Amino acid sequence: MQAFEGGNTLSLFQLREGKMAYGEHRLAEIDEKLLKEAKEEFLLDFQNMTGGAEESPPSELGGASNPTYPTLVGHYFVLWRELLIRNSHIPAIDRIVQKIQESRERYQTVEIATSVPWYVIGAIHSLEASLKFDRHLHNGDPLTDFTIHVPAGRPRRGTPPFRWEESAIDALQYDGLDDVNSWPIERILYALERFNGFGYLKFHPEVRTPYLWSFSNHYTKGKYVADGVWSPDAVSRQCGAAVILKRLVQIGAIEEPPSQSAMPTDEEDGGSADPGVEFLRLASTRIGEEYDLGANVPLDNRRWHGPWDCAEFVSWVVYQTCGRVCGCVDNERPIPQLEPFSGAWYRDAKASNSQLSIADAADTPGSILVRKARPNKIGHVAFSDGNGGTIEAAGAALGVCRRQIEGRIWDAAFEIA
């Protein structure tokens, strides 16, 4: 859906079913705040009226890069394991999964061409096109023409009207899903969230994306009501893709996809040889949890789920991953007496033989970034995700989340070998 363009009049909104005039009002007579509220109210009313597809988060804002799959494996593992379907939605969910099963042969035709599991295709079809076979899988636009909304102008080959199967294959190839070699549940969830966009993880980490988690214990409210337009109080009326998959498993329609942690790797111990990657794997499982300045975290408690402060968070992840004590006032004290502190992390960083420039740390997964304390500004510690971003316990308003490295003050960086 096209966002509002400023000017002398309120523009026409380009809608999924064609073009609908919402009126042309002189902006000079309308307060900017009221105009914004009116626009959001219209968008919400229209979505409730049509039951249209889940709107996409912004694909790129402020140079923020997308999180990589290795940094989110643990995140998806925990969310899938703890997923509970809300009982009040089961009748609606069952209607969806019944339709998906009835269309299995059509989805399997696309699976043969792309290697994407048929049930994943069915879940995307539900979210993007309400299971209608006269719509593009890319975004729910009609097959009678090329796509209009993002991604526009698809498919690149052929002429309209398109067959659903050829459009679906193009949609999955466009997103690179045909290049995936194996489909553990974590990879499935990553692919589904990537298909819709990582705006929730990057810009609203306090909200689990409804594209995956709507109708479950992981989602309550907050969503994009148009492409790139955020409302903290809007509630998704669509069933999330992860919930669809979970219900298919529950009723015996599919076998539960294996977990990445249970699949063979190149390492004999089943894990990564790089401790930094393992730091990120564990840290990502705590995204969305509460922050409390000065929180006392038991480093030896594997099941701790907050609250966290920045230094305690990094020390806990490092200790849980490789058994090393770092960033504490006295690293030699017994575990129950350890006191992680950003100043101690700065000390350990400067004493390390594995110091990095901030630029190199931004490209090194699991490296540690430290800001020392200043007058009226406390110190801070974060993990680099190796892709220009961080995983960190960021503050009371954000909790554990992803942020960007660029544009912030960092005084030291190093990696733990």
Side-chain angles (χ1 to χ4, degrees), residues 19 58-59 116 128 151-152 183-184 205 236 243 246 411:
K19 298 181 179 179
S59 57
V116 179
E128 296 293 339
W183 290 94
S236 173
V243 174
K246 180 68 80 170
D411 297 299

Side-chain angles (χ1 to χ4, degrees), residues 67-79 201 208 277-289 313 316-317 383 391-392 400-402:
T68 59
Y69 174 59
T71 69
L72 289 176
V73 170
H75 171 72
Y76 291 126
F77 172 78
V78 171
L79 289 176
L201 272 174
R208 308 292 188 202
V277 171
E278 295 303 315
F279 294 160
L280 296 177
R281 194 187 306 274
L282 179 56
S284 68
T285 67
R286 268 51 183 179
I287 289 175
E289 294 182 353
F313 177 67
W316 179 86
V317 169
F383 287 110
I391 301 178
E392 59 187 277
V400 179
C401 66
R402 295 179 176 277

